[in-house]
Amino acid sequence: MGHLRVYTIADVIARFKRMQGYNVLFPMGWDAFGLPAENAAIERGVSPADWTRQNVGKMKEQLIGMNGDFDWSREFMTCDPDFYKHTQRIFLLLHEHGLAYQANSLVNYDPIDRTVLANEQVCVSGARLPCVVTDDKKVDSNGFSWRSGAKAKKVMLKQWFLRVTKYKAALLADLDHLSRDERWPERVLAMQRNWLGRSEGVVLTFSLSSPSGLQHRALKVFTTRPDTLVGVQYIALSASHPLVVTLAAEDPHLKEFVQQASQLSEDSKAGYLLPGIVAHNPLSLITDMPCCVSAPLPVYVAPYVLQDYGEGAVMGVPGHDTRDHEFWKVHRNASPIREVIKPVHETESLLLNDKSDRHELYTKPGMLTSICGKLAGWTSSEAADHIVQALSASDNLAERVENWRIRDWLISRQRYWGTPIPIIHCARCGAVPVPLEELPVKLPKVDGDWFRRKSGNPLESAEDWVKADCPQCRGPARRDTDTMDTFVDSSWYYMRFVDPHNADEPFSAQKADALLPVDIYLGGIEHAILHLLYARFISKFLASTQLWPAGGGKDNNAEPFQRLITQGMVHGKTYSDSRTGRFLRPEEIDYSTPSRPTIVATGEAPSISWEKMSKSKYNGVDPSKCMDVYGADVTRAHVLFQAPVNQVLEWDEERIVGIQRWFGRIWRLLDTLPAQMLQHQPRIPPIENLTAAELELYSTVQQTISSVTTSLSNTFALNTVISDLIKLTNTITSTSITNDAIRYYATSSLLRMLAPIAPAFCEECWECLHSATAGASIFTQSFPTANDAASPRKLSQPCAVQENGKLRFAVAIPAVPEDLLVNKDQSSLIAWVVAEIEKTPEGAKWRESRKERAWKRIVVVKGGKTVNFVG
């Protein structure tokens, strides 16, 4: 159902733009590689290729059935060698530019399935690192593989990376470009900024000493809070810090702890005190500093410190950092905590509560306390600047730097169903790129039974495929058996649509310049970071090559997507047992009383919630079945009407009848139109010749056109489009106007505005409305444009008719001419207003019933909006 929603939204926008006269490219393809398909194939003992093609066929039937106007001439699958040949070529381009490289990386590894696992994403200081596997092969909260059940191991493997960090500055700076005119949602921009994680700080140098006299290199420690340096009470190192690795080789207890640490979570409070080693606060070398900074600092190895962030070493400030405080309480609880920062304003209380004399941890910048000696009373900003300046002048013990959370993109996957990495490993020549003329490096065919019998990566055991000649020395060599992360495919496949049949290049520069960047891109919020960030990286890289040298022009900054729309997920009604929390199958629910379903086994009421659709929760909906029952167009309109595009849609099939009834009213509306109108479409007369009621309907159409156009062009509030069109339908069907031209104009405008949403239904209605010109498609017509001069304020106004102060009826009359409003002679205004009232059906009927009545006076107020007949 989620696919139906996003493709319906895209199809509506594409059809709307075509009717506006744009040349629209609306292609369709299949992101077909990946672990979900491989796992499904394994469960069934079939080849992933066969399983994928079978599912693509089913999905294509659904998309055709939903009345999508896709350009199928550009269709491709990312698992087709004709496509991944170019993915491999882009990899080699990256390799040629030094942006694809191999390095050792600590990963979760399943010893039974013999493949890398994922924690979905790895957490670093509250951020997420985009260098880990994000497929469905995961480790659960207890560190076990979800599929094999084996305890995952942390192992060091040689992996392929893409050097995303080279483009980190551009990726961050150009978010400002994407924020202009709300091109990208602010939520997505904020998520990417956080993921990139640029921070300015200082690298401080802490010297080390040992009673044994052994010399160790000084520690480099990154911090964003040099103002808290007086409060440092320990140093913590990552388990993979070079000093730890060196010491572990001689210390069996440390070695054992390091091995155990790899299995601990990042919020673990575990720690190993390095014996015989202490660190020294660099402030101890500065004169006039408080004596407490001269105290030696214990050095710990702690799992919460990650080597990838900063220098793999942190300074522990238990008085002003929550994590450091918790660690200190575990390991040095008897030692007092040094508080060196206090609030600037005394109104900021440090007390946890009135019943406690313990102080709340103050983690914000503030003012330095009396313990800081001559720095006491300085603000955090003043103290930080002074400390950095003093240490920089003292043997360069402090250096201002910027730090980033983002890490290079790990793309290696030890699995079969992905793009093979086009590298050959030679004992003599090293890692050698496969020559371009030998691309694609195709996946070997693997019997489906292999997946049922064995575990691990079948490429490793495909000896005939693995063995190769080195392209340089022609000696014996072996192919790389890793495949690429599927995000590599999706990072550039949108570009392939501009030139999908090009056998020689991923796409031609000429066609890329003509059609890129993408004008409107739709996707779920779950892709806000990884997929979109990697697509931006690849786009910027390709703009530095001959493939797309224009990069979309100087004002585009080589960005791939000009406008981004993120649609919400689709949630289904979910039933569960309130006692056990177990999700219930549909057959376990008794729907005899729809408003009060019960559990068949117990007769009790189930817990009802709206959850993301999934097989495990038994709340999925097959869109094909829904379209079979209600029709594709009714289903499309219901999907759009139920929720704003960017919000969660709670699928409720019971409400779809409202859309059905609306379509029925439109169909019956056609039956009320005179036969001569259907044969000869009348022209609308000049606006000044219309009656007030006709003006009212005409202006309502203009309002609707303006609102719908804005929603489809700018706000993408497609649910309000449906609402506006329902209101217009009600106005047309309830009018008593007999002017064929106005009725035809209103009805044809309604159908043209509804056509992008309900294409088949509107095509049928259009044919009925134009029986004399059968064969002309509604999509050959232009989308209605609003007459800006025809606003309700300019065309008509309400008029309340009273007798002796009592309201009798209200009508719409033309707006009073300006010259009558400024004329001091009220007689002309009164005569004009009364004449317009009598032209209306209500006014004519009222006049006939009062023809014997003589009025003493007639009072017109509020510019003709109220008329009181007194007599």
Side-chain angles (χ1 to χ4, degrees):
M1 192 56 73
H3 285 135
L4 175 66
R5 186 184 194 192
V6 68
Y7 293 134
T8 296
I9 295 167
D11 187 61
V12 168
I13 296 172
R15 289 179 182 274
F16 164 68
K17 290 295 183 181
R18 284 199 184 101
M19 293 181 74
Q20 282 192 314
Y22 289 95
N23 179 22
V24 177
L25 174 57
F26 184 39
M28 178 53 67
W30 311 97
D31 188 10
F33 270 140
L35 204 55
E38 185 167 336
N39 285 340
I42 290 171
E43 291 174 6
R44 292 160 179 80
V46 299
S47 164
D50 295 339
W51 175 251
T52 297
R53 288 183 172 83
Q54 177 184 340
N55 281 280
V56 165
K58 291 179 180 178
M59 186 67 185
K60 186 171 181 178
E61 286 181 10
Q62 286 187 357
L63 292 178
I64 293 173
M66 64 162 277
N67 295 333
D69 192 18
F70 305 105
D71 183 351
W72 292 107
S73 69
R74 297 173 183 266
E75 177 187 14
F76 60 78
M77 293 189 292
T78 59
C79 63
D80 191 318
D82 288 340
F83 174 85
Y84 69 71
K85 162 186 179 179
H86 301 293
T87 302
Q88 291 173 339
R89 178 165 183 171
I90 290 172
F91 174 89
L92 293 179
L93 267 176
L94 289 159
H95 188 267
E96 178 185 333
H97 285 74
L99 299 177
Y101 66 94
Q102 275 188 301
N104 289 324
S105 176
L106 194 65
V107 295
N108 294 312
Y109 189 78
D110 186 325
I112 293 180
D113 280 350
R114 292 185 296 166
T115 188
V116 168
L117 301 169
N119 283 325
E120 293 186 286
Q121 296 165 345
V122 171
C123 194
V124 173
S125 301
R128 297 287 183 178
L129 283 180
C131 65
V132 236
V133 198
T134 54
D135 300 310
D136 287 347
K137 207 171 191 67
K138 302 171 185 173
V139 179
D140 66 18
S141 59
N142 296 314
F144 291 90
S145 168
W146 71 272
R147 187 158 69 86
S148 73
K151 178 70 174 179
K153 293 183 176 181
K154 293 277 189 179
V155 298
M156 192 70 71
L157 290 180
K158 199 168 188 180
Q159 308 275 282
W160 282 98
F161 291 83
L162 298 185
R163 207 180 300 275
V164 181
T165 51
K166 182 175 181 180
Y167 285 82
K168 61 190 178 187
L171 290 169
L172 179 62
D174 291 341
L175 291 176
D176 292 337
H177 167 75
L178 296 174
S179 69
R180 296 175 193 166
D181 303 320
E182 298 182 345
R183 296 180 188 179
W184 279 38
E186 180 55 38
R187 180 184 176 190
V188 174
L189 297 173
M191 291 169 76
Q192 290 216 0
R193 286 192 184 97
N194 183 63
W195 191 275
L196 290 162
R198 179 182 178 272
S199 60
E200 293 183 350
V202 179
V203 172
L204 302 171
T205 301
F206 287 75
S207 62
L208 295 174
S209 65
S210 171
S212 64
L214 292 176
Q215 297 296 315
H216 299 286
R217 293 180 59 183
L219 296 176
K220 299 290 185 179
V221 177
F222 174 81
T223 181
T224 59
R225 295 290 305 275
D227 58 315
T228 64
L229 188 53
V230 176
V232 175
Q233 294 185 264
Y234 72 94
I235 297 295
L237 306 178
S238 73
S240 54
H241 191 281
L243 175 62
V244 177
V245 174
T246 300
L247 295 175
E250 303 295 332
D251 184 345
H253 298 294
L254 174 58
K255 183 178 181 180
E256 182 181 1
F257 177 82
V258 168
Q259 292 173 343
Q260 293 174 349
S262 66
Q263 311 301 322
L264 299 175
S265 63
E266 280 98 22
D267 60 357
S268 169
K269 307 304 182 296
Y272 183 91
L273 177 64
L274 293 180
I277 294 180
V278 293
H280 301 280
N281 193 320
L283 283 180
S284 62
L285 301 176
I286 307 299
T287 57
D288 298 330
M289 285 295 159
C291 60
C292 62
V293 299
S294 299
L297 303 172
V299 180
Y300 287 89
V301 180
Y304 77 79
V305 184
L306 298 175
Q307 183 65 31
D308 286 336
Y309 187 73
E311 302 289 333
V314 301
M315 58 186 208
V317 186
H320 303 286
D321 183 275
T322 302
R323 184 185 54 191
D324 297 349
H325 180 87
E326 293 173 351
F327 185 87
W328 184 261
K329 283 294 185 182
V330 171
H331 297 278
R332 313 282 284 214
N333 192 36
S335 302
I337 291 177
R338 198 180 303 156
E339 294 180 357
V340 297
I341 305 290
K342 67 179 181 179
V344 174
H345 304 290
E346 295 301 328
T347 53
E348 291 187 67
S349 175
L350 288 175
L351 292 179
L352 283 170
N353 54 60
D354 295 337
K355 298 180 180 179
S356 172
D357 60 356
R358 292 187 301 111
H359 288 77
E360 182 182 4
L361 206 63
Y362 189 75
T363 60
K364 303 175 186 176
M367 181 183 293
L368 272 68
T369 63
S370 59
I371 200 174
C372 298
K374 73 172 187 178
L375 298 178
W378 291 33
T379 66
S380 287
S381 177
E382 294 168 343
D385 289 341
H386 177 77
I387 288 171
V388 172
Q389 185 175 1
L391 292 176
S392 297
S394 178
D395 202 21
N396 200 28
L397 296 176
E399 180 184 3
R400 291 193 181 275
V401 297
E402 65 177 22
N403 196 49
W404 297 75
R405 283 179 175 150
I406 188 172
R407 294 293 176 265
D408 287 338
W409 176 9
L410 191 161
I411 66 165
S412 288
R413 302 293 182 266
Q414 290 73 39
R415 64 166 189 244
Y416 171 76
W417 196 231
T419 299
I421 292 177
I423 294 291
I424 293 175
H425 297 276
C426 174
R428 179 184 301 174
C429 305
V432 182
V434 172
L436 294 180
E437 61 272 16
E438 294 182 15
L439 298 182
V441 177
K442 295 183 180 181
L443 287 169
K445 290 185 178 180
V446 177
D447 191 334
D449 287 340
W450 188 98
F451 292 97
R452 190 184 294 277
R453 298 191 311 265
K454 300 180 181 180
S455 62
N457 181 2
L459 296 182
E460 294 177 348
S461 57
E463 284 297 319
D464 292 341
W465 180 84
V466 171
K467 292 179 180 179
D469 293 333
C470 173
Q472 290 184 2
C473 70
R474 310 313 301 176
R478 297 178 66 84
R479 296 189 187 279
D480 198 302
T481 57
D482 283 354
T483 55
M484 298 186 207
D485 178 7
T486 54
F487 279 134
V488 179
D489 304 317
S490 60
S491 70
W492 81 277
Y493 62 48
Y494 63 92
M495 292 177 158
R496 181 64 175 172
F497 283 124
V498 308
D499 197 9
H501 307 299
N502 191 329
D504 301 321
E505 297 180 300
F507 48 85
S508 74
Q510 182 180 4
K511 291 186 176 180
D513 289 342
L515 295 171
L516 294 175
V518 175
D519 294 284
I520 301 175
Y521 191 78
L522 284 92
I525 193 68
E526 65 272 18
H527 298 305
I529 302 176
L530 294 180
H531 163 57
L532 290 174
L533 190 71
Y534 295 155
R536 294 180 62 218
F537 160 64
I538 292 296
S539 174
K540 291 179 182 297
F541 165 68
L542 292 179
S544 71
T545 71
Q546 293 304 307
L547 280 175
W548 193 31
K554 63 179 182 179
D555 295 329
N556 185 57
N557 299 345
E559 288 291 336
F561 314 120
Q562 288 193 323
R563 186 71 186 264
L564 173 67
I565 303 173
T566 53
Q567 89 285 352
M569 293 183 177
V570 180
H571 287 188
K573 186 177 285 188
T574 310
Y575 298 92
S576 60
D577 189 322
S578 57
R579 294 180 302 172
T580 65
R582 182 177 66 86
F583 294 111
L584 302 172
R585 295 179 174 86
E587 59 269 22
E588 295 181 272
I589 302 295
D590 181 357
Y591 299 97
S592 300
T593 306
S595 61
R596 287 182 295 177
T598 57
I599 302 174
V600 173
T602 64
E604 297 178 356
S607 294
I608 302 176
S609 61
W610 296 92
E611 308 276 351
K612 179 182 176 181
M613 289 186 177
S614 70
K615 292 180 180 179
S616 63
K617 296 175 182 177
Y618 312 108
N619 63 349
V621 176
D622 185 346
S624 297
K625 292 182 179 179
C626 191
M627 290 188 289
D628 288 342
V629 174
Y630 302 102
D633 286 357
V634 170
T635 305
R636 285 163 58 110
H638 179 62
V639 164
L640 298 177
F641 188 47
Q642 284 301 292
V645 165
N646 61 349
Q647 294 183 16
V648 169
L649 187 159
E650 294 181 347
W651 179 258
D652 188 351
E653 202 165 303
E654 295 175 3
R655 299 179 183 177
I656 201 170
V657 293
I659 299 294
Q660 277 187 311
R661 292 174 185 146
W662 172 40
F663 280 21
R665 290 201 305 275
I666 295 174
W667 186 256
R668 290 190 296 273
L669 171 63
L670 302 178
D671 291 337
T672 66
L673 302 178
Q676 62 269 23
M677 181 195 300
L678 302 180
Q679 296 176 3
H680 307 288
Q681 292 80 49
R683 290 183 177 274
I684 191 169
I687 293 175
E688 57 269 19
N689 295 341
L690 299 178
T691 67
E694 291 166 355
L695 278 172
E696 186 70 19
L697 177 57
Y698 182 80
S699 64
T700 299
V701 173
Q702 305 313 306
Q703 276 185 304
T704 306
I705 292 173
S706 179
S707 176
V708 168
T709 301
T710 298
S711 295
L712 290 173
S713 301
N714 301 322
T715 64
F716 302 106
L718 303 190
N719 59 319
T720 65
V721 172
I722 305 290
S723 179
D724 288 340
L725 295 181
I726 290 175
K727 292 177 183 176
L728 179 59
T729 304
N730 294 338
T731 301
I732 297 172
T733 55
S734 63
T735 185
S736 57
I737 293 173
T738 58
N739 186 322
D740 289 347
I742 293 296
R743 293 180 67 195
Y744 168 77
Y745 172 74
T747 304
S748 67
S749 297
L750 169 65
L751 293 177
R752 283 182 288 157
M753 286 187 281
L754 180 58
I757 295 167
F761 174 72
C762 289
E763 196 76 272
E764 187 73 16
C765 291
W766 191 256
E767 184 176 336
C768 292
L769 191 61
H770 302 84
S771 57
T773 57
S777 169
I778 192 172
F779 292 103
T780 63
Q781 308 298 309
S782 61
F783 199 85
T785 54
N787 180 356
D788 294 332
S791 66
R793 186 180 302 170
K794 296 178 181 178
L795 291 177
S796 65
Q797 68 180 48
C799 180
V801 180
Q802 299 176 344
E803 285 184 22
N804 298 317
K806 294 182 178 181
L807 179 66
R808 295 305 181 191
F809 61 93
V811 293
I813 64 173
V816 176
E818 192 69 26
D819 59 329
L820 293 180
L821 293 174
V822 299
N823 194 335
K824 294 183 179 180
D825 182 8
Q826 286 283 299
S827 60
S828 298
L829 173 62
I830 292 171
W832 187 91
V833 171
V834 171
E836 291 301 326
I837 290 173
E838 293 178 346
K839 289 179 183 179
T840 68
E842 298 90 342
K845 182 178 180 180
W846 173 80
R847 180 191 61 186
E848 182 65 24
S849 67
R850 303 292 192 277
K851 62 182 178 181
E852 303 296 334
R853 188 92 175 255
W855 304 105
K856 291 181 180 179
R857 60 194 177 99
I858 302 174
V859 181
V860 176
V861 296
K862 298 180 180 179
K865 292 182 180 180
T866 301
V867 180
N868 188 17
F869 292 84
V870 182

